[in-house]
Amino acid sequence: GRVTDVSASQITVTDAQGEALSYGVTASTIIRAPTTATAANLVKGASVTVTGTTSGAGIVARSVLITAA
């Protein structure tokens, strides 16, 4: 999907069908890209693949792979 919103602790990703999911981003979230990446690389419009786990009432991203647009 594509990152449609981003903050210091959360990203929202919208998939091809238009469904938006918000993921918490923590210090333990692994962020990968073809080159070294950090949470600063999570910007609106970035193409990503996210794996996450439920945590309370939300979803916490375990890993985020930034892919080519």
Side-chain angles (χ1 to χ4, degrees):
R2 292 229 179 253
V3 176
T4 52
D5 198 18
V6 63
S7 72
S9 62
Q10 180 172 296
I11 60 171
T12 301
V13 177
T14 302
D15 66 17
Q17 290 74 36
E19 184 175 349
L21 286 174
S22 293
Y23 297 88
V25 177
T26 68
S28 61
T29 301
I30 299 166
I31 300 170
R32 295 178 282 168
T35 59
T36 304
T38 67
N41 298 101
L42 296 173
V43 296
K44 288 184 181 181
S47 181
V48 296
T49 300
V50 181
T51 58
T53 57
T54 56
S55 176
I59 304 170
V60 175
R62 291 183 52 195
S63 68
V64 179
L65 174 62
I66 302 170
T67 58

